[in-house]
Amino acid sequence: MRFRVSAQFLKENDVEPALAWQSTSGLNCTQPSGGALIPEVDFKWPWRYDFRHICAALQDLKGRDVLFMSTFFGSDLQMSYALRARQVARGLRRFLGVEARACVTSCRACCDRLELCDDRARGRCRVPAAIVHIKGICECATAIFPKSRGVVHMLDPVDRYLSPPPLHLGSRKSAPYREVSALLAETSTAALEYHSHPSVVEFGWQVFHLPHHHSNLARRTATCRKEADVIGVHSSKLDPELKQGVEKLLSERFPHVKMHHVQPQPMEWRVRAGLSPFGPGFSEPILSELREFDMTLMKPNCYDPRPEEQGSSLLDWRAWLCERHHSGQRLVHALSVGVPAVVWGGATGHVDALRPSSDWPLAWSNEEMVEQLAALLSNRTLRCSLAAQAPILAEPYHLERNVERYALALAEMVRRVRPST
């Protein structure tokens, strides 16, 4: 069974029982500002703003629709980037009341639906003021609704490195990109590199550092136990050399501690089994598994070569991509449930997440990771101190916080992009 084979703009009201969403805290847009000028939003991560900026953004977005388009290959199988689109759209509605929807099927099917809305232009069928393209650009959408019509196009490449077309290829090749107004970057390094990219400069894109949110929406945390019993890794891959070093350490010095490697099943298996990957209980098993860990290891699996890449220059490209553009999402999920982690420092996404902490150690080799693991296993005070810090470090990545940034970014671009007269 394949879900969403025809384009639908999804507005979901169901909530997983285990992930009760919290309402926006303390937002009161009727509170007078006292006539004082509001300083501009500081868009440098983790962004500096207050309720006045949120209220101003919501006023700019009032009566306007936002559409998240996840049309990249695999969206009909509800891959993780489709989950991102749907969760953010739902979060904008739930927390801020923004009229946000998602289309998670083929690019052409989404465009056909949009054209119908454009022809009818009545009721709930409206042309969006802003379209967020997930993973890749839906070119028919930029062609039908160009900037000249006042439609904002924002590109979120998620975990892909976006390579804008070189300028020498001409306007025909770059036409869809020239209709984009803003780009979302997963890491601070990615944001800096995109910001100075010649094509990005020429196209006039606004670059926002806005990484992936975590899914621990109820902010449930684990208990730091007196003795650590489980070293867990929740990842599809684990560096064999690192795994061997950890197993040797545990057998020689900590025989009571077990290592548990959980390989998450890809979401498409649920679809092929006839189950909705977003039904009740989808996220809870993952979070429950993380809460069973006393500690975890965080080293990106994007270093591992595919069979066809063995001995090729693609290995250098993969390492470059891993260090600069790979998100720290798995680390942030572990932090959100209070699990201390031994962290590989060679990935910007990891460094971004831990930057506010001066206490959190980073490892730069497998040997250092094993040494730091031994230190944490031997020192409950340090382990529990990091466990207490972890949810605080993860809080900026909570969906409730991230949709505020989406609203600020969307409002900023809506102010800038006006229809041609």
Side-chain angles (χ1 to χ4, degrees):
M1 181 180 295
R2 291 164 66 88
F3 285 81
R4 314 299 178 196
V5 293
S6 61
Q8 299 181 48
F9 296 158
L10 307 176
K11 292 183 62 175
E12 301 162 282
N13 295 315
D14 58 304
V15 181
E16 299 176 23
L19 298 176
W21 289 31
Q22 300 181 11
S23 61
T24 305
S25 55
L27 184 63
N28 180 11
C29 289
T30 62
Q31 181 177 339
S33 60
L37 292 175
I38 303 176
E40 293 185 356
V41 175
D42 181 355
F43 288 110
K44 183 178 180 181
W45 183 262
W47 301 26
R48 288 174 178 81
Y49 59 90
D50 60 28
F51 79 95
R52 297 171 298 172
H53 300 102
I54 300 295
C55 292
L58 295 182
Q59 184 62 36
D60 287 324
L61 295 175
K62 187 177 181 179
R64 293 184 165 98
D65 286 10
V66 176
L67 178 63
F68 288 80
M69 295 185 69
S70 182
T71 61
F72 193 73
F73 175 78
S75 289
D76 56 342
L77 293 179
Q78 314 291 336
M79 304 292 275
S80 59
Y81 36 90
L83 171 63
R84 175 178 181 135
R86 294 176 68 170
Q87 281 195 340
V88 174
R90 188 190 300 175
L92 282 166
R93 293 194 308 276
R94 289 290 179 106
F95 294 133
L96 298 177
V98 175
E99 193 65 34
R101 298 167 290 166
C103 189
V104 289
T105 184
S106 71
C107 176
R108 185 65 258 174
C110 289
C111 288
D112 289 344
R113 176 72 174 178
L114 281 172
E115 286 187 296
L116 284 175
C117 291
D118 195 23
D119 292 338
R120 295 171 181 171
R122 66 173 184 267
R124 306 303 299 173
C125 192
R126 300 182 298 196
V127 173
I131 298 176
V132 183
H133 301 254
I134 303 295
K135 199 94 168 180
I137 296 176
C138 178
E139 295 187 8
C140 61
T142 60
I144 299 168
F145 304 104
K147 285 190 289 188
S148 60
R149 291 191 60 180
V151 177
V152 172
H153 292 276
M154 186 177 290
L155 177 57
D156 182 359
V158 192
D159 56 355
R160 298 178 70 219
Y161 171 68
L162 175 71
S163 182
L167 297 174
H168 79 274
L169 294 179
S171 59
R172 183 177 179 182
K173 178 71 174 178
S174 63
Y177 293 86
R178 292 180 182 274
E179 295 300 334
V180 172
S181 300
L183 173 69
L184 306 183
E186 279 283 346
T187 69
S188 57
T189 300
L192 288 171
E193 292 183 349
Y194 284 138
H195 186 74
S196 59
H197 191 290
S199 296
V200 171
V201 174
E202 168 63 19
F203 299 157
W205 291 355
Q206 173 73 38
V207 178
F208 296 100
H209 177 196
L210 184 51
H212 204 310
H213 62 272
H214 68 70
S215 298
N216 187 10
L217 306 182
R219 297 180 173 91
R220 294 187 176 182
T221 57
T223 301
C224 185
R225 293 184 282 240
K226 185 175 181 179
E227 295 290 338
D229 297 319
V230 179
I231 308 299
V233 178
H234 200 284
S235 175
S236 58
K237 299 178 183 177
L238 177 61
D239 184 339
E241 181 183 315
L242 176 59
K243 181 179 180 181
Q244 184 178 11
V246 171
E247 289 175 341
K248 184 174 185 292
L249 169 72
L250 298 183
S251 64
E252 293 178 354
R253 296 182 52 187
F254 305 96
H256 66 285
V257 179
K258 305 299 180 184
M259 185 171 179
H260 185 34
H261 181 198
V262 178
Q263 299 189 40
Q265 293 176 301
M267 279 187 284
E268 59 262 33
W269 79 267
R270 293 182 61 91
V271 177
R272 293 184 176 123
L275 303 172
S276 169
F278 301 101
F282 163 70
S283 298
E284 181 58 22
I286 299 174
L287 297 172
S288 295
E289 287 167 347
L290 288 173
R291 287 195 295 268
E292 292 299 315
F293 299 166
D294 293 300
M295 293 175 56
T296 187
L297 305 170
M298 284 292 162
K299 183 177 181 181
N301 58 28
C302 49
Y303 286 111
D304 298 337
R306 296 170 182 167
E308 66 272 17
E309 296 173 347
Q310 294 285 355
S312 72
S313 60
L314 289 174
L315 292 178
D316 293 335
W317 161 252
R318 182 175 287 277
W320 183 92
L321 177 66
C322 197
E323 293 171 356
R324 290 166 171 78
H325 292 262
H326 191 72
S327 75
Q329 184 191 9
R330 287 196 302 114
L331 171 60
V332 170
H333 270 86
L335 296 176
S336 75
V337 297
V339 176
V342 177
V343 180
W344 179 262
T348 305
H350 290 173
V351 177
D352 287 343
L354 298 179
R355 183 173 284 122
S357 173
S358 58
D359 302 326
W360 211 290
L362 295 172
W364 302 92
S365 67
N366 286 341
E367 291 75 17
E368 284 189 29
M369 292 195 75
V370 173
E371 291 172 5
Q372 290 185 14
L373 177 61
L376 289 177
L377 286 171
S378 304
N379 188 334
R380 179 181 182 272
T381 300
L382 175 60
R383 178 166 55 84
C384 290
S385 174
L386 296 182
Q389 281 189 37
I392 300 172
L393 292 171
E395 180 59 24
Y397 297 85
H398 190 280
L399 183 61
E400 186 174 359
R401 302 281 78 81
N402 252 22
V403 295
E404 292 175 351
R405 299 185 187 94
Y406 267 98
L408 292 170
L410 288 164
E412 178 73 13
M413 301 317 300
V414 164
R415 296 185 197 111
R416 295 187 187 187
V417 178
R418 297 294 185 183
S420 301
T421 55

